[in-house]
Amino acid sequence: MLLGVRHHGPGSARAVRAALDAARPRTVLLEGPPEADALIALAAEEDMRPPVALLAHVVDEPGRSAFWPLAEFSPEWVAIRWALEHGVPARFIDLPATHTLARGREEEEAEEEQADKGENEKEGDEKEEDEKEAVRIDPLGVLAETAGYDDPERWWEDVVEHRGTRAGDAFAPFEALGEAMAALREVYGTGGHDRDLVREAHMRLQVRAAQREYADDVAVVCGAWHVPALRQRTTVAADRALLKGLPKVKADMTWVPWTHRRLSRFSGYGAGIDSPGWYGHLFSVPDRPIERWMTKVAGLLRDEDHPVSSAHVIEAVRLADTLAAMRGRPLPGLTETTDAVRAVMCEGSDVPLSLVHDRLVVGDVLGEVPEAAPAVPLQRDLARIQRKLRLKPEASERELELDLRKETDGGRSRLLHRLRLLGVAWGEPVASRGSTGTFRETWRLRWEPELAVRVAEAGVWGTTVLAAATAKAESDAVGASSLADVTGLAERCLLAELPDALPVVMRILADRAALDADVGHLAQALPALVRALRYGDVRGTGTRALAEVAAGLAERVFVGLPPACAALDAEAAEEMRGHVDAVHGAVGLLAEDGEHGKDGTDGADGGDGEGGKGSSRAGIRGRWHTVLGTLGGRDTVAGVVRGRAVRLLLDDGALEQEEAARFMGLVLSPGTAPGDAAAWIEGFVGGGSGGGMLLVHDERLLALVDSWLTGVPADAFTDVLPLLRRTFSAYEPGVRRTLGELVRRGPGPGGGLAATAAGTGAPGFASGLDTERADAVLPVLRLLLGLDDDGRTENDLVEVSR
């Protein structure tokens, strides 16, 4: 008995169940890899919940894998469950995975050889491949077109999903479908799928073996396309000849959770389906599928605060029935229900409709497999940790806020960081909302079925997540190609709390830092190193060695940066400006750690131990200011770097505003080439550094820029315009508008730039700072910053507020 089905078709699944109930076969044969026979019994476990998939992977190369997904409405799953419930043996008869995976490797190697061929050969092979693609057919597409349908999904719904089995004849649907496929294969042959010949030869051999054992009481559930080939009379010798010499690899197999979203892609059994959630609904509901579907949709939209009532449900059902009648369909399909939902519940908008499609038509259902399923030791350790931390994998994307001061959240953070080190991208760190503190983390989580393969691959590094992450970090450190890669790895080791890997990484980091003389490389490496120091502080990890390397790296940057900034072209100068910004941020964090120390002391007492080291690290800020002063005052340094150095000194309070104005005045004098002056301005007020607000609140600087710009010769203006446009286009619209108003007022009595230059202030502003009114905000700032009892002076508070 051959039961040809559409994989993942609820109508086929119902028909298979009816046919098996009617025929009561003594064995059931299924399209799938025979290595999975031992796993069939697990389908009866209480903890097994579809969608699930059979995963086969090469033992020595876990990344080379293949999936055979099954949903609740898959005919193969229904057949497995029927066999288990009735005590009937079931087995898979498709080509073994050991050959399938080996053939995949050969095809990849052939593609690599193809890439190495000459252009003429390549073009010839591509033409031949195009010809092969041209004859490949979609059986459902051909049948739908023959029946006058332009959509194969609609044809399948009308012919199969909406037509029940005829009373007393459970085999009629399979007979009709088999005849249709036989006609197609008579015209198209294999339809371009040549590998099916080998698969079908293996299936015929397995069917013959079952018939020798069980006579004719054998049911075969397979794709309808294969039915004519399985009916074909061939000799055993001919079938064995097709299988002779097939490549083999050693493969393992297990069950893994799958998702409805993954069923909608092209993988595993046949082609993916567009609407697994809809098909699951059709298969599971006992009656009135349209009414129940509309109720689901209404519930989802109400949960998302859309005003949908029971009247909308009634009207949507009526409209779907009317559309089906007008289109000549036996029952409303997904097209009719979607049109009705759009018109009635979504008021013609596709925005809420996209939510319905994502959550219901496709869906985020994630299956489960029992603990008894085979798994690599790393997977078992990961499952144990997930249960301990109450961090269950979910198919839907969600954000997870972690407070690292809590034990459970700290454990979750360590797990996610360790998995990222192992290449298991379950979570992705994102910016935290409402807090920039280092004790908070935000992760975006989504579990994809392919992560099971990544876990199997990572199993080569160890049997536990901690051991595997440690071994992987050490290996990555040895093979790192740049100093920045090693410092980034040190940061990740601290985030993942890998104390055994950190000494190895630090030794390699120290060696690389000592040998690397490129200032750009050192500047790229320093920020990650300093961030690692702060992360270590938050997690209570010892970072003494890291701090020493960071301080030494900073000193080498200080020495090498001024010579490296001389005689640069525009592109190199812009890159160096980025390095200066990165080093400035890192120095600020490094100096802050040195000033306050890990134990909460000031760190500036100059004594031994942590206090002495804090004093040394606090002095880094002063030495960095000296370097910035050198960069800002050298004419040989690129203009964009000089401008940025002056701006950073001004922001840190190490340069008075009058002195900054003097620097700008010198640069914008007629003796400076317009291009160099424009580059200086870009460095000083460009790059998203808040330069626009600086010009708004210090109109003396704005007046200097305005005077210089109006004096640029016409022949040089077109050269500086692109740079200036880039500078000012980075400002917020409100800042640009305010600057425009200030410039529009222009020179004149009591207003604008002339008033500022004369020291009388802009309209609505006093001529100077009212310190008494400014001091009134200090108590509020002290309360907000939590500085009431730390003994700091008001000058310290002003510095913190800056």
Side-chain angles (χ1 to χ4, degrees):
M1 179 176 63
L2 295 176
L3 304 179
V5 301
R6 183 192 184 188
H7 303 300
H8 315 310
S12 288
R14 287 192 297 267
V16 163
R17 187 163 54 195
L20 293 176
D21 285 337
R24 298 283 173 170
R26 294 166 59 195
T27 186
V28 176
L29 306 183
L30 306 158
E31 180 183 337
E35 293 93 338
D37 287 351
L39 304 175
I40 290 178
L42 293 174
E45 295 285 336
E46 185 178 352
D47 295 337
M48 178 73 88
R49 296 186 180 88
V52 292
L54 291 166
L55 164 63
H57 64 84
V58 180
V59 173
D60 299 329
E61 197 177 353
R64 189 173 301 281
S65 59
F67 294 97
W68 287 264
L70 296 167
E72 182 183 9
F73 49 84
S74 298
E76 296 83 0
W77 180 260
V78 170
I80 289 173
R81 293 288 300 177
W82 185 93
L84 292 173
E85 290 168 3
H86 292 80
V88 172
R91 68 181 72 157
F92 290 103
I93 61 171
D94 204 347
L95 192 68
T98 183
H99 298 307
T100 303
L101 296 173
R103 183 163 184 170
R105 172 186 289 174
E106 285 190 340
E107 290 176 351
E108 287 187 9
E109 291 174 351
E111 289 178 0
E112 292 176 0
E113 292 178 4
Q114 174 71 25
D116 295 333
K117 289 183 179 181
E119 287 300 322
N120 292 336
E121 292 184 20
K122 184 176 180 181
E123 290 177 2
D125 290 344
E126 286 177 350
K127 183 177 180 181
E128 182 180 349
E129 184 66 23
D130 290 342
E131 291 174 354
K132 289 182 180 180
E133 290 286 346
V135 300
R136 291 182 181 177
I137 64 166
D138 172 17
L140 293 185
V142 174
L143 293 175
E145 185 178 358
T146 304
Y149 283 74
D150 58 0
D151 183 358
E153 292 288 337
R154 288 188 58 193
W155 175 83
W156 182 259
E157 281 190 348
D158 287 354
V159 174
V160 178
E161 304 302 340
H162 295 158
R163 309 277 188 185
T165 58
R166 283 179 286 178
D169 192 357
F171 309 105
F174 302 106
E175 294 172 0
L177 201 55
E179 291 175 4
M181 294 301 166
L184 287 177
R185 293 195 69 146
E186 185 177 347
V187 175
Y188 295 101
T190 62
H193 304 279
D194 293 337
R195 71 172 61 185
D196 285 347
L197 294 176
V198 178
R199 296 175 56 205
E200 289 160 356
H202 189 272
M203 285 192 267
R204 283 193 294 266
L205 291 174
Q206 297 301 308
V207 171
R208 289 191 187 101
Q211 287 174 336
R212 286 195 298 269
E213 185 176 357
Y214 298 102
D216 291 332
D217 292 336
V218 177
V220 181
V221 179
C222 63
W225 178 253
H226 303 300
V227 169
L230 298 187
R231 285 177 176 164
Q232 182 180 357
R233 294 191 176 275
T234 61
T235 64
V236 173
D239 287 340
R240 287 178 176 171
L242 287 173
L243 299 172
K244 187 177 181 180
L246 289 178
K248 296 176 65 175
V249 294
K250 188 177 180 181
D252 272 349
M253 182 160 279
T254 186
W255 289 106
V256 295
W258 204 250
T259 67
H260 274 180
R261 196 171 300 280
R262 291 296 301 173
L263 283 171
S264 66
R265 304 181 187 178
F266 287 79
S267 60
Y269 279 121
I273 55 177
D274 295 330
S275 50
W278 166 254
Y279 276 5
H281 170 80
L282 291 180
F283 182 75
S284 61
V285 297
D287 56 11
R288 307 179 71 180
I290 304 304
E291 289 84 349
R292 295 178 187 273
W293 177 259
M294 292 300 184
T295 303
K296 276 187 180 180
V297 173
L300 172 64
L301 293 176
R302 279 197 293 267
D303 289 342
E304 296 296 327
D305 296 329
H306 290 276
V308 178
S309 66
S310 55
H312 288 89
V313 175
I314 296 171
E315 188 59 33
V317 171
R318 288 175 177 171
L319 180 57
D321 288 336
T322 302
L323 290 173
M326 293 176 60
R327 295 168 180 173
R329 307 193 67 180
L331 285 174
L334 181 59
T335 304
E336 287 69 38
T337 58
T338 299
D339 290 344
V341 168
R342 178 191 290 110
V344 177
M345 298 186 187
C346 300
E347 298 180 352
S349 173
D350 284 337
V351 176
L353 189 66
S354 64
L355 180 68
V356 174
H357 180 272
D358 186 64
R359 299 275 188 88
L360 294 182
V361 176
V362 176
D364 281 323
V365 178
L366 176 65
E368 296 182 17
V369 299
E371 292 186 14
V376 296
L378 182 62
Q379 175 64 60
R380 296 196 181 281
D381 184 61
L382 174 59
R384 178 187 62 80
I385 297 173
Q386 288 171 333
R387 290 193 298 269
K388 177 183 177 182
L389 297 176
R390 300 188 298 279
L391 196 59
K392 185 179 180 180
E394 296 178 1
S396 58
E397 186 177 281
R398 68 185 180 103
E399 284 196 357
L400 180 67
E401 298 277 353
L402 299 179
D403 185 340
L404 302 182
R405 297 169 296 185
K406 299 178 180 178
E407 183 178 354
T408 299
D409 283 359
R412 290 172 174 176
S413 173
R414 289 190 294 272
L415 173 63
L416 293 171
H417 281 295
R418 289 170 183 174
L419 290 177
R420 278 175 59 82
L421 261 172
L422 291 170
V424 183
W426 178 18
E428 177 185 357
V430 296
S432 296
R433 294 191 299 268
S435 174
T436 58
T438 53
F439 61 85
R440 285 195 177 278
E441 281 184 353
T442 303
W443 292 81
R444 183 176 293 120
L445 303 181
R446 169 177 280 181
W447 184 266
E448 295 284 359
E450 289 85 350
L451 294 180
V453 178
R454 303 285 84 82
V455 173
E457 284 182 300
V460 301
W461 298 107
T463 58
T464 67
V465 174
L466 175 58
T470 299
K472 182 67 162 55
E474 293 175 353
S475 176
D476 288 348
V478 173
S481 59
S482 69
L483 181 61
D485 290 339
V486 184
T487 55
L489 188 59
E491 179 182 10
R492 297 174 71 183
C493 285
L494 281 168
L495 292 170
E497 198 171 304
L498 303 176
D500 293 337
L502 196 57
V504 177
V505 176
M506 291 307 306
R507 184 177 65 252
I508 296 174
L509 174 58
D511 293 344
R512 291 285 185 92
L515 295 175
D516 200 327
D518 190 307
V519 174
H521 293 168
L522 299 176
Q524 286 177 329
L526 184 60
L529 206 55
V530 175
R531 286 197 306 270
L533 278 171
R534 294 177 66 81
Y535 291 138
D537 289 345
V538 172
R539 288 164 168 77
T541 307
T543 56
R544 188 188 199 93
L546 203 62
E548 293 175 356
V549 174
L553 205 62
E555 295 291 353
R556 294 185 60 197
V557 171
F558 297 165
V559 173
L561 195 57
C565 292
L568 300 176
D569 60 21
E571 184 177 350
E574 186 62 33
E575 182 180 356
M576 191 59 70
R577 191 266 295 268
H579 293 331
V580 170
D581 282 342
V583 172
H584 183 76
V587 167
L589 295 177
L590 194 60
E592 182 180 327
D593 285 345
E595 289 164 359
H596 307 307
K598 294 182 182 178
D599 58 357
T601 60
D602 191 325
D605 57 1
D608 296 334
E610 290 299 326
K613 289 191 177 297
S615 177
S616 173
R617 289 164 63 185
I620 287 178
R621 188 193 297 271
R623 291 193 292 280
W624 174 239
H625 288 165
T626 301
V627 174
L628 290 176
T630 301
L631 293 176
R634 283 189 182 177
D635 293 338
T636 57
V637 174
V640 68
V641 177
R642 281 188 289 137
R644 181 47 55 96
V646 173
R647 173 61 191 282
L648 294 177
L649 287 171
L650 179 64
D651 288 347
D652 275 5
L655 188 70
E656 297 294 334
Q657 290 188 345
E658 291 76 8
E659 186 67 10
R662 186 183 71 82
F663 272 110
M664 180 179 282
L666 291 173
V667 171
L668 301 183
S669 63
T672 305
D676 292 342
W680 195 96
I681 293 174
E682 163 69 10
F684 187 76
V685 296
S689 60
M693 293 301 297
L694 179 65
L695 294 178
V696 167
H697 293 289
D698 194 335
E699 294 191 16
R700 290 172 299 176
L701 300 181
L702 179 59
L704 289 171
V705 175
D706 181 60
S707 299
W708 166 77
L709 187 57
T710 56
V712 173
D715 57 345
F717 186 77
T718 54
D719 295 332
V720 303
L721 182 59
L723 189 58
L724 291 173
R725 175 171 291 183
R726 183 177 69 182
T727 301
F728 290 99
S729 65
Y731 297 163
E732 294 290 336
V735 173
R736 292 201 301 269
R737 187 181 305 110
T738 302
L739 288 174
E741 288 294 326
L742 292 173
V743 173
R744 184 182 62 81
R745 289 203 297 265
L753 308 179
T756 301
T760 59
F765 293 90
S767 58
L769 177 65
D770 188 338
T771 57
E772 184 176 350
R773 295 183 64 188
D775 288 344
V777 304
L778 293 181
V780 178
L781 279 176
R782 188 185 299 278
L783 180 63
L784 291 175
L785 297 174
L787 303 176
D788 284 338
D789 301 321
D790 63 358
R792 297 190 188 184
T793 65
E794 290 196 353
N795 290 335
D796 293 334
L797 183 60
V798 173
E799 181 65 24
V800 170
S801 66
R802 286 180 179 174

